Amino acid sequence: MSVVVERDGAVAVVRIDRPERHNALNADVLRRLHAVMTDLPGKARAIVLTGSGRRAFSAGADLDELVGLSAADAEPVLRAGQAVLRGIERSPAPVIAAVNGLALGGGFELVLACSFAVASTEAAFALPEPGLGLIPGYGGTQRLARVTGPAAARHVMLTGHRLDALRAYELGVVVLPPVHPDALRSLAVAQARKVAGMGPRAVRAIVDAVDVGLDSPLDDALALETRLAADAVGGSESDEGVRAFKEKRRPCFEAVTP
Ligand SMILES: CCCCCCCCCCCCC[C@H](O)CC(=O)SCCNC(=O)CCNC(=O)[C@H](O)C(C)(C)COP(=O)(O)OP(=O)(O)OC[C@H]1O[C@@H](n2cnc3c(N)ncnc32)[C@H](O)[C@@H]1OP(=O)(O)O
């Protein structure tokens, strides 16, 4: 199975499992990621995405599936890949990348589509596509600049520069200091549990507000936030959240009816 799912309560761990090809993304991996991202958000409240082995999170698109593709054939495949990553980016169960090794090309683009990333000290990030006569085709030309700023993004893409884990942390690609490889999974699951403990409707609203807001005029984005924040104030989830605070107990959002 090229994608393995493990459930851990309200958290799911999704692992790309093609270590013999450094977890390269082929059509089967993309199909399975799409199926997982369609099924899991209704069952898990937060998802960890990682790769098998210590060498690579993912070495990007499977180059053996690229050979011989015409532009006309590649375009629907690219659109299909974009749709999988867009589903990850907008998932109501936020996806946390646990970068266990090299995240190259589409592998780095997969990380950039996640809500946020944590990494081991052995992680490294690059977009080597131009060296292959390709360009990033799973959102890298757009998402990297949104994280690092355009100059750092152009430097990475135009020189093939590889960001090590610490530099990725400094640039905001990784949100916490890189950890020993043996500690990565527990760190990622702990972060996922924090997300899973939040109000699920509040989480979904924040995902939507940030996603829509990034591409909206500020006043429109603030108006969206106001509407979503008012819905939250008037919603039953905040009734439970505030009541739990006053009663000095953990909120039980599962018991909240929409
Ligand atoms: C999503 C695919 C859907 C299918 C159709 C795609 C058509 C549409 C186009 C999709 C475009 C997606 C957009 C994306 O931006 C484009 C890309 O991602 S391009 C790929 C970018 N990635 C790379 O360039 C990395 C290539 N790999 C390496 O540099 C090195 O392998 C490594 C990861 C640094 C590891 O090096 P080593 O430790 O020395 O190991 P080897 O090199 O010997 O690798 C072992 C073995 O694995 C094979 N392999 C490694 N990476 C890939 C890969 N990306 N695709 C296919 N095979 C890969 C390597 O060839 C070796 O095989 P062997 O020689 O043992 O047969």
Side-chain angles (χ1 to χ4, degrees):
M1 186 81 86
S2 63
V3 173
V4 176
V5 179
E6 301 163 59
R7 289 293 304 281
D8 182 352
V11 170
V13 179
V14 176
R15 185 161 40 86
I16 303 170
D17 190 32
R18 296 186 75 208
E20 73 287 351
R21 311 299 278 187
H22 295 305
N23 302 325
L25 305 174
N26 62 5
D28 183 56
V29 167
L30 277 175
R31 263 194 305 274
R32 292 180 191 277
L33 278 179
H34 177 66
V36 163
M37 289 311 302
T38 303
D39 176 56
L40 272 185
K43 299 170 181 171
R45 296 266 293 277
I47 298 166
V48 172
L49 177 64
T50 192
S52 286
R54 298 280 287 255
R55 181 83 166 114
F57 170 82
S58 171
D62 189 320
L63 294 166
D64 295 337
E65 292 196 353
L66 273 176
V67 173
L69 274 186
S70 68
D73 291 342
E75 193 164 335
V77 174
L78 281 161
R79 275 203 300 274
Q82 288 277 23
V84 173
L85 271 66
R86 191 75 176 114
I88 288 171
E89 187 167 48
R90 291 189 48 74
S91 170
V95 183
I96 299 163
V99 189
N100 56 298
L102 296 171
L104 306 178
F108 190 0
E109 293 171 293
L110 199 46
V111 172
L112 292 169
C114 291
S115 286
F116 56 86
V118 293
S120 86
T121 50
E122 292 180 5
F125 306 79
L127 292 172
E129 286 87 339
L132 300 166
L134 295 167
I135 76 164
Y138 284 163
T141 63
Q142 304 308 310
R143 294 192 176 100
L144 183 57
R146 280 170 166 75
V147 171
T148 65
R154 281 192 288 265
H155 178 238
V156 165
M157 285 185 273
L158 297 179
T159 67
H161 180 65
R162 186 179 283 190
L163 303 174
D164 65 16
L166 186 58
R167 184 62 180 142
Y169 171 55
E170 291 168 347
L171 287 170
V173 169
V174 171
V175 294
L176 293 174
V179 295
H180 187 281
D182 293 344
L184 178 63
R185 179 183 171 116
S186 55
L187 171 65
V189 170
Q191 292 297 307
R193 286 198 200 290
K194 288 183 179 180
V195 174
M198 301 294 170
R201 273 178 289 285
V203 166
R204 181 191 293 260
I206 290 167
V207 168
D208 290 346
V210 173
D211 186 71
V212 173
L214 276 174
D215 294 320
S216 306
L218 180 58
D219 286 336
D220 294 354
L222 291 173
L224 170 64
E225 180 193 86
T226 300
R227 180 167 58 78
L228 294 172
D231 289 348
V233 167
S236 50
E237 200 167 89
S238 60
D239 292 344
E240 165 58 15
V242 174
R243 188 183 309 116
F245 171 77
K246 303 295 279 181
E247 296 171 0
K248 301 192 186 323
R249 61 174 173 81
R250 294 170 65 83
C252 179
F253 294 118
E254 291 75 13
V256 170
T257 54

